[in-house]
CSV table of all heavy atoms in Angstrom, one decimal:
chain,number,residue,atom,x,y,z
A,101,LEU,N,-15.0,28.6,-9.1
A,101,LEU,CA,-15.3,29.1,-10.6
A,101,LEU,C,-16.6,28.5,-11.0
A,101,LEU,O,-17.5,29.1,-11.6
A,101,LEU,CB,-14.2,28.8,-11.5
A,101,LEU,CG,-12.8,29.4,-11.2
A,101,LEU,CD1,-11.8,29.2,-12.3
A,101,LEU,CD2,-13.0,31.0,-11.0
A,102,ALA,N,-16.9,27.2,-10.5
A,102,ALA,CA,-18.1,26.6,-10.8
A,102,ALA,C,-19.2,27.3,-10.2
A,102,ALA,O,-20.3,27.5,-10.9
A,102,ALA,CB,-18.0,25.1,-10.5
A,103,ALA,N,-19.1,27.6,-8.9
A,103,ALA,CA,-20.1,28.4,-8.2
A,103,ALA,C,-20.4,29.8,-8.8
A,103,ALA,O,-21.5,30.2,-8.9
A,103,ALA,CB,-19.7,28.5,-6.8
A,104,ALA,N,-19.2,30.4,-9.3
A,104,ALA,CA,-19.4,31.7,-10.0
A,104,ALA,C,-20.2,31.5,-11.2
A,104,ALA,O,-21.1,32.3,-11.5
A,104,ALA,CB,-18.0,32.3,-10.3
A,105,ALA,N,-20.0,30.5,-12.0
A,105,ALA,CA,-20.6,30.2,-13.3
A,105,ALA,C,-22.1,30.1,-13.1
A,105,ALA,O,-22.9,30.6,-13.8
A,105,ALA,CB,-20.0,29.0,-14.0
A,106,LYS,N,-22.5,29.4,-11.9
A,106,LYS,CA,-23.9,29.1,-11.7
A,106,LYS,C,-24.6,30.5,-11.5
A,106,LYS,O,-25.9,30.5,-11.6
A,106,LYS,CB,-24.0,28.2,-10.5
A,106,LYS,CG,-23.8,26.8,-10.8
A,106,LYS,CD,-24.1,25.9,-9.5
A,106,LYS,CE,-23.5,24.6,-9.6
A,106,LYS,NZ,-23.5,23.9,-8.3
A,107,SER,N,-23.9,31.4,-11.0
A,107,SER,CA,-24.5,32.7,-10.7
A,107,SER,C,-24.6,33.7,-11.9
A,107,SER,O,-25.1,34.8,-11.8
A,107,SER,CB,-23.8,33.4,-9.6
A,107,SER,OG,-22.6,34.0,-10.1
A,108,LEU,N,-24.2,33.2,-13.1
A,108,LEU,CA,-24.1,34.0,-14.3
A,108,LEU,C,-24.7,33.3,-15.4
A,108,LEU,O,-24.7,32.1,-15.5
A,108,LEU,CB,-22.6,34.3,-14.7
A,108,LEU,CG,-21.8,35.1,-13.7
A,108,LEU,CD1,-20.3,34.8,-13.9
A,108,LEU,CD2,-22.1,36.5,-13.6
A,109,PRO,N,-25.3,34.1,-16.4
A,109,PRO,CA,-25.8,33.5,-17.6
A,109,PRO,C,-24.8,33.0,-18.4
A,109,PRO,O,-23.7,33.6,-18.6
A,109,PRO,CB,-26.5,34.6,-18.3
A,109,PRO,CG,-25.8,35.8,-17.8
A,109,PRO,CD,-25.4,35.6,-16.5
A,110,HIS,N,-24.9,31.8,-19.1
A,110,HIS,CA,-23.8,31.1,-19.8
A,110,HIS,C,-24.3,30.1,-20.8
A,110,HIS,O,-25.2,29.4,-20.5
A,110,HIS,CB,-22.7,30.7,-19.0
A,110,HIS,CG,-23.1,29.5,-18.1
A,110,HIS,ND1,-23.6,29.7,-16.8
A,110,HIS,CD2,-23.2,28.1,-18.3
A,110,HIS,CE1,-23.8,28.5,-16.3
A,110,HIS,NE2,-23.6,27.6,-17.2
A,111,ASP,N,-23.6,30.0,-21.9
A,111,ASP,CA,-23.8,28.9,-22.9
A,111,ASP,C,-22.4,28.3,-23.1
A,111,ASP,O,-22.3,27.1,-23.2
A,111,ASP,CB,-24.3,29.4,-24.3
A,111,ASP,CG,-25.7,30.1,-24.0
A,111,ASP,OD1,-26.7,29.4,-23.8
A,111,ASP,OD2,-25.7,31.3,-24.1
A,112,VAL,N,-21.4,29.1,-23.1
A,112,VAL,CA,-20.0,28.6,-23.3
A,112,VAL,C,-19.2,29.1,-22.2
A,112,VAL,O,-19.2,30.4,-21.9
A,112,VAL,CB,-19.5,29.1,-24.7
A,112,VAL,CG1,-18.0,28.5,-25.0
A,112,VAL,CG2,-20.4,28.9,-25.9
A,113,LEU,N,-18.4,28.2,-21.7
A,113,LEU,CA,-17.4,28.5,-20.6
A,113,LEU,C,-16.0,28.3,-21.2
A,113,LEU,O,-15.6,27.3,-21.6
A,113,LEU,CB,-17.6,27.7,-19.4
A,113,LEU,CG,-18.7,28.1,-18.5
A,113,LEU,CD1,-20.1,28.1,-19.1
A,113,LEU,CD2,-18.8,27.1,-17.2
A,114,LEU,N,-15.3,29.5,-21.2
A,114,LEU,CA,-13.9,29.4,-21.8
A,114,LEU,C,-12.8,29.7,-20.8
A,114,LEU,O,-12.9,30.4,-19.9
A,114,LEU,CB,-13.8,30.6,-22.9
A,114,LEU,CG,-14.8,30.3,-24.1
A,114,LEU,CD1,-15.4,31.6,-24.5
A,114,LEU,CD2,-14.0,29.8,-25.2
A,115,PHE,N,-11.8,28.8,-21.0
A,115,PHE,CA,-10.6,28.9,-20.3
A,115,PHE,C,-9.4,29.0,-21.3
A,115,PHE,O,-9.5,28.5,-22.4
A,115,PHE,CB,-10.3,27.7,-19.4
A,115,PHE,CG,-11.4,27.5,-18.3
A,115,PHE,CD1,-12.6,27.0,-18.6
A,115,PHE,CD2,-11.1,27.9,-17.0
A,115,PHE,CE1,-13.5,26.8,-17.5
A,115,PHE,CE2,-11.9,27.7,-16.0
A,115,PHE,CZ,-13.1,27.1,-16.2
A,116,GLY,N,-8.2,29.5,-20.8
A,116,GLY,CA,-7.0,29.2,-21.6
A,116,GLY,C,-6.7,27.7,-21.3
A,116,GLY,O,-7.1,27.1,-20.3
A,117,LYS,N,-5.9,27.1,-22.1
A,117,LYS,CA,-5.6,25.6,-22.0
A,117,LYS,C,-4.7,25.5,-20.8
A,117,LYS,O,-4.7,24.4,-20.2
A,117,LYS,CB,-4.9,25.1,-23.2
A,117,LYS,CG,-3.4,25.3,-23.3
A,117,LYS,CD,-2.8,24.5,-24.3
A,117,LYS,CE,-1.3,24.8,-24.6
A,117,LYS,NZ,-0.3,24.1,-24.0
A,118,GLN,N,-4.0,26.5,-20.3
A,118,GLN,CA,-3.3,26.4,-19.0
A,118,GLN,C,-3.1,27.8,-18.6
A,118,GLN,O,-3.0,28.7,-19.3
A,118,GLN,CB,-2.0,25.7,-19.2
A,118,GLN,CG,-0.9,26.4,-19.9
A,118,GLN,CD,0.2,25.5,-20.3
A,118,GLN,OE1,0.1,24.7,-21.2
A,118,GLN,NE2,1.4,25.7,-19.7
A,119,GLY,N,-2.9,28.0,-17.3
A,119,GLY,CA,-2.4,29.3,-16.7
A,119,GLY,C,-1.0,29.2,-16.9
A,119,GLY,O,-0.3,28.3,-16.4
A,120,VAL,N,-0.4,30.2,-17.6
A,120,VAL,CA,1.0,30.2,-17.8
A,120,VAL,C,1.7,30.6,-16.5
A,120,VAL,O,1.5,31.8,-16.0
A,120,VAL,CB,1.5,31.2,-18.9
A,120,VAL,CG1,2.9,31.5,-18.9
A,120,VAL,CG2,1.0,30.7,-20.3
A,121,GLY,N,2.3,29.7,-15.9
A,121,GLY,CA,2.8,30.0,-14.5
A,121,GLY,C,2.7,28.7,-13.7
A,121,GLY,O,3.7,27.9,-13.7
A,122,THR,N,1.6,28.4,-13.1
A,122,THR,CA,1.4,27.1,-12.5
A,122,THR,C,1.3,26.0,-13.5
A,122,THR,O,1.6,24.9,-13.1
A,122,THR,CB,0.2,27.2,-11.5
A,122,THR,OG1,-0.9,27.6,-12.4
A,122,THR,CG2,0.4,28.1,-10.4
A,123,ASP,N,0.9,26.3,-14.7
A,123,ASP,CA,0.9,25.4,-15.7
A,123,ASP,C,0.3,24.0,-15.5
A,123,ASP,O,0.6,23.0,-15.9
A,123,ASP,CB,2.4,25.1,-16.2
A,123,ASP,CG,3.0,26.3,-16.7
A,123,ASP,OD1,2.3,27.2,-17.3
A,123,ASP,OD2,4.2,26.4,-16.7
A,124,ASN,N,-0.8,24.0,-14.7
A,124,ASN,CA,-1.5,22.8,-14.3
A,124,ASN,C,-2.4,22.2,-15.3
A,124,ASN,O,-2.5,21.0,-15.5
A,124,ASN,CB,-2.3,23.0,-13.0
A,124,ASN,CG,-1.5,23.0,-11.8
A,124,ASN,OD1,-0.7,22.0,-11.5
A,124,ASN,ND2,-1.5,24.0,-10.9
A,125,SER,N,-3.2,23.0,-16.0
A,125,SER,CA,-4.2,22.5,-17.0
A,125,SER,C,-5.2,21.7,-16.3
A,125,SER,O,-5.6,20.6,-16.9
A,125,SER,CB,-3.5,21.8,-18.2
A,125,SER,OG,-2.6,22.5,-18.9
A,126,LEU,N,-5.7,22.0,-15.2
A,126,LEU,CA,-6.6,21.2,-14.5
A,126,LEU,C,-8.0,21.8,-14.3
A,126,LEU,O,-9.0,21.1,-14.2
A,126,LEU,CB,-6.0,20.9,-13.1
A,126,LEU,CG,-4.8,20.0,-13.0
A,126,LEU,CD1,-4.2,19.9,-11.5
A,126,LEU,CD2,-5.0,18.6,-13.6
A,127,VAL,N,-8.0,23.1,-14.1
A,127,VAL,CA,-9.2,23.7,-13.5
A,127,VAL,C,-10.4,23.6,-14.5
A,127,VAL,O,-11.5,23.3,-14.2
A,127,VAL,CB,-8.9,25.2,-13.2
A,127,VAL,CG1,-10.2,26.0,-12.9
A,127,VAL,CG2,-7.9,25.3,-12.0
A,128,GLY,N,-10.2,23.8,-15.8
A,128,GLY,CA,-11.3,23.7,-16.9
A,128,GLY,C,-11.9,22.5,-16.8
A,128,GLY,O,-13.2,22.5,-16.6
A,129,PRO,N,-11.3,21.3,-16.9
A,129,PRO,CA,-12.0,20.0,-16.8
A,129,PRO,C,-12.6,19.8,-15.5
A,129,PRO,O,-13.6,19.2,-15.4
A,129,PRO,CB,-10.9,19.0,-17.1
A,129,PRO,CG,-9.8,19.7,-17.9
A,129,PRO,CD,-9.9,21.1,-17.4
A,130,MET,N,-12.0,20.3,-14.4
A,130,MET,CA,-12.6,20.1,-13.1
A,130,MET,C,-13.9,20.9,-13.0
A,130,MET,O,-14.9,20.4,-12.4
A,130,MET,CB,-11.6,20.5,-12.0
A,130,MET,CG,-10.5,19.5,-11.8
A,130,MET,SD,-9.3,20.1,-10.6
A,130,MET,CE,-8.5,18.6,-10.2
A,131,VAL,N,-14.0,22.0,-13.5
A,131,VAL,CA,-15.3,22.8,-13.6
A,131,VAL,C,-16.3,22.1,-14.4
A,131,VAL,O,-17.4,22.0,-14.0
A,131,VAL,CB,-15.0,24.3,-14.1
A,131,VAL,CG1,-16.4,24.9,-14.4
A,131,VAL,CG2,-14.2,25.1,-13.2
A,132,ALA,N,-15.8,21.5,-15.5
A,132,ALA,CA,-16.8,20.7,-16.4
A,132,ALA,C,-17.4,19.6,-15.5
A,132,ALA,O,-18.6,19.3,-15.6
A,132,ALA,CB,-16.0,20.2,-17.6
A,133,GLU,N,-16.5,18.9,-14.8
A,133,GLU,CA,-17.0,17.8,-14.0
A,133,GLU,C,-18.0,18.2,-12.9
A,133,GLU,O,-19.1,17.6,-12.7
A,133,GLU,CB,-15.8,17.0,-13.4
A,133,GLU,CG,-16.3,15.9,-12.5
A,133,GLU,CD,-17.0,14.8,-12.9
A,133,GLU,OE1,-16.9,14.6,-14.2
A,133,GLU,OE2,-17.7,14.1,-12.2
A,134,ILE,N,-17.6,19.3,-12.3
A,134,ILE,CA,-18.5,19.8,-11.2
A,134,ILE,C,-19.9,20.2,-11.7
A,134,ILE,O,-21.0,19.9,-11.2
A,134,ILE,CB,-17.8,21.0,-10.5
A,134,ILE,CG1,-16.5,20.5,-9.7
A,134,ILE,CG2,-18.9,21.7,-9.5
A,134,ILE,CD1,-15.7,21.6,-9.3
A,135,LEU,N,-19.9,20.9,-12.9
A,135,LEU,CA,-21.2,21.3,-13.5
A,135,LEU,C,-21.8,20.2,-14.3
A,135,LEU,O,-23.0,20.4,-14.8
A,135,LEU,CB,-21.0,22.6,-14.3
A,135,LEU,CG,-20.4,23.8,-13.6
A,135,LEU,CD1,-20.1,24.9,-14.5
A,135,LEU,CD2,-21.4,24.3,-12.6
Side-chain angles (χ1 to χ4, degrees):
Chain A
L101 301 185
K106 283 187 201 163
S107 75
L108 297 162
H110 62 266
D111 302 288
V112 186
L113 276 60
L114 291 140
F115 293 80
K117 80 164 172 103
Q118 73 195 65
V120 167
T122 54
D123 297 334
N124 280 304
S125 298
L126 295 173
V127 172
M130 285 177 161
V131 170
E133 171 65 21
I134 293 165
L135 296 174

